[in-house]
Amino acid sequence: MAGRASLLRLCPLLLPQNRDGTAYEGFISAQGRDFRIRILLPAGSQLKNARIECSWHLKKILHEYRHILKQRLHSCPDLVSFVVELKTVLEIALKNTQELHVPRPPEYYSCLVRDLETLGWNKVVYVDTGLTTIKLKAEDSRDRQHLITLKLNAKYPAEPPDCVVDLPVQFAISWMPQDSLVAVHNQFLVALESLKEFWDTMDEIDGKTWVLEPENPTRCATSRRIAIGSNVSVSIEVDPRHPKMLPECYFLGADHVVNPLRTKLNNNMHLWDPEVGLLQNLKDLLEIDFPSRAELEKIDFTRDCGICYSYRLNGTTPDQVCDEPRCGQPFHQACLYEWLQGLPSSRQSFNIIFGECPYCNKPLTLKSSMKKP
């Protein structure tokens, strides 16, 4: 209730469309203009699976910011926080759109060209024809390449550029009117070095294990779903500021396989050594070796959904597994939920549905985060 009240104060024209607060429709305001928007949340209000619908005009305005909005959708703790981020991005986008049509003074161009020459053209990846958008590259001490996109307004350098980066943490620059692009680039390098251990950890995971999700992780991605065996995996959420600490772990697979892993993790948690890499710690605590890319193919431990007969569905992979050892058939949660709902023998209590495996008829339960149709 408090969340709805906060949202109403923030966007009085964005109203809930149902009692459970999974659908909002109305207008979001920025720069004195109203834009129609619709936000659909899955049951449980998990923002990372939310769907945002808007007019083609708003979609066009936010097009260049879609990646940062997707990142914020995954990282914001609640809808109110995301709407705050959305309004901020929209304000920036509208401001930059308006300024594209404002003629810049000659001093703007001479100052910008001078700054680019001082920085070095070898660090410049892209400059648009209006000299308002610039992409710079930088290397961290591990020779990893990173990009930063700068949006300059007509008052540059009196006002700082807006920065878009692929980082797992917020990046805010400190700026004085006498500063230049060199100052931005240097601050970007400092931010990259502060995240060196995080990327070392994620690169080791990506290089030495089979990562099921995300399929093509970006530098801002803090989660990995790692294969352990056939239809058994663990999802971890790594803290980018403390990458060697014990991450959040969530096991996926049949109960008779993942329950012993949960027990080992709980019993061995005290053995976690911050001086040792995250991957080695996980191996020691779980008393396992993760499947190696050198020895196994991805197909060796992934199977298609037993209902839709595909592996990837709307960006998700099968994460529900029949607990019968002789069966072990995996399913997408959405497919299994729809299947169980269609069975006359199935019953539902709140968000838990009880039914039978489509393959071996073993009783199973599914805790669903999906809305009832």
Side-chain angles (χ1 to χ4, degrees):
M1 189 65 69
R4 291 195 187 187
S6 300
L7 187 61
L8 185 62
R9 287 193 296 270
L10 181 66
C11 295
L13 299 179
L14 185 62
L15 302 174
Q17 303 297 300
N18 53 19
R19 289 185 177 180
D20 55 3
T22 57
Y24 289 82
E25 190 167 357
F27 296 89
I28 185 170
S29 302
Q31 297 280 326
R33 299 163 62 183
D34 296 329
F35 298 90
R36 190 169 191 86
I37 191 169
R38 189 175 184 221
I39 302 175
L40 301 175
L41 302 171
S45 301
Q46 295 182 0
L47 274 178
K48 65 179 181 180
N49 296 321
R51 193 165 82 247
I52 312 295
E53 299 175 355
C54 59
S55 66
W56 69 268
H57 182 54
L58 180 57
K59 189 177 293 186
K60 183 178 180 181
I61 292 173
L62 295 174
H63 178 72
E64 292 189 13
Y65 300 85
R66 63 192 185 280
H67 296 303
I68 195 169
L69 284 175
K70 186 175 181 181
Q71 176 187 343
R72 294 295 181 259
L73 197 63
H74 279 70
S75 61
C76 286
D78 51 49
L79 181 59
V80 175
S81 301
F82 173 71
V83 173
V84 170
E85 297 272 7
L86 176 60
K87 282 174 67 71
T88 302
V89 171
L90 181 55
E91 291 278 356
I92 294 171
L94 287 170
K95 185 179 176 183
N96 290 335
T97 301
Q98 292 167 1
E99 288 173 351
L100 288 176
H101 306 289
V102 176
R104 310 284 169 109
E107 296 79 11
Y108 167 88
Y109 297 103
S110 60
C111 178
L112 179 58
V113 171
R114 184 173 63 250
D115 285 355
L116 288 171
E117 288 178 345
T118 303
L119 176 67
W121 288 100
N122 60 319
K123 297 182 178 68
V124 180
V125 176
Y126 168 82
V127 180
D128 71 339
T129 54
L131 294 181
T132 59
T133 301
I134 298 170
K135 288 187 179 181
L136 305 176
K137 65 180 179 180
E139 286 188 358
D140 61 28
S141 57
R142 296 284 195 269
D143 296 327
R144 287 179 288 244
Q145 286 213 350
H146 306 266
L147 297 178
I148 178 171
T149 301
L150 307 178
K151 302 279 188 177
L152 287 77
N153 61 48
K155 294 182 180 179
Y156 176 86
E159 293 185 2
D162 295 317
C163 304
V164 180
V165 294
D166 186 18
L167 302 182
V169 296
Q170 187 175 4
F171 176 70
I173 62 170
S174 64
W175 184 265
M176 299 293 288
Q178 67 269 22
D179 282 338
S180 67
L181 298 182
V182 174
V184 178
H185 195 266
N186 287 339
Q187 291 179 55
F188 186 48
L189 286 172
V190 171
L192 297 181
E193 285 308 297
S194 71
L195 293 164
K196 179 176 63 177
E197 280 196 349
F198 168 73
W199 285 318
D200 286 346
T201 298
M202 305 312 272
D203 285 351
E204 183 183 24
I205 293 171
D206 294 338
K208 294 184 178 180
T209 71
W210 276 109
V211 174
L212 304 180
E213 294 179 287
E215 198 167 18
N216 297 299
T218 59
R219 286 298 179 190
C220 69
T222 57
S223 64
R224 294 291 190 274
R225 181 180 167 200
I226 308 171
I228 295 177
S230 179
N231 299 307
V232 183
S233 59
V234 59
S235 284
I236 63 171
E237 184 72 31
V238 181
D239 183 345
R241 293 300 189 193
H242 306 283
K244 288 190 175 182
M245 301 303 291
L246 177 64
E248 294 182 28
C249 298
Y250 176 68
F251 294 96
L252 299 104
D255 286 345
H256 71 276
V257 179
V258 302
N259 283 342
L261 292 172
R262 292 193 188 102
T263 301
K264 287 179 181 178
L265 181 64
N266 292 331
N267 291 344
N268 296 334
M269 202 174 292
H270 65 284
L271 299 176
W272 188 274
D273 184 357
E275 300 301 317
V276 178
L278 183 146
L279 188 59
Q280 186 60 50
N281 267 312
L282 284 178
K283 290 180 181 179
D284 294 342
L285 266 64
L286 299 176
E287 300 173 9
I288 61 170
D289 280 320
F290 291 100
S292 168
R293 286 176 172 268
E295 298 171 1
L296 296 171
E297 298 292 332
K298 199 170 185 178
I299 197 172
D300 291 328
F301 40 81
T302 58
R303 288 168 60 189
D304 294 341
C305 171
I307 296 174
C308 72
Y309 302 111
S310 63
Y311 180 66
R312 197 165 290 279
L313 176 69
N314 297 328
T316 65
T317 57
D319 59 1
Q320 305 294 319
V321 180
C322 175
D323 197 34
E324 170 55 52
R326 291 171 296 180
C327 177
Q329 178 63 49
F331 307 97
H332 294 113
Q333 184 186 38
C335 295
L336 187 57
Y337 182 80
E338 187 175 345
W339 172 278
L340 293 176
Q341 273 202 320
L343 294 179
S345 58
S346 297
R347 61 186 180 86
Q348 188 161 357
S349 175
F350 297 101
N351 66 331
I352 299 178
I353 190 167
F354 302 85
E356 296 178 344
C357 172
Y359 279 68
C360 69
N361 297 324
K362 178 183 173 63
L364 52 79
T365 61
L366 176 65
K367 186 175 182 180
S368 176
S369 60
M370 305 171 59
K371 291 190 302 180
K372 293 182 181 181

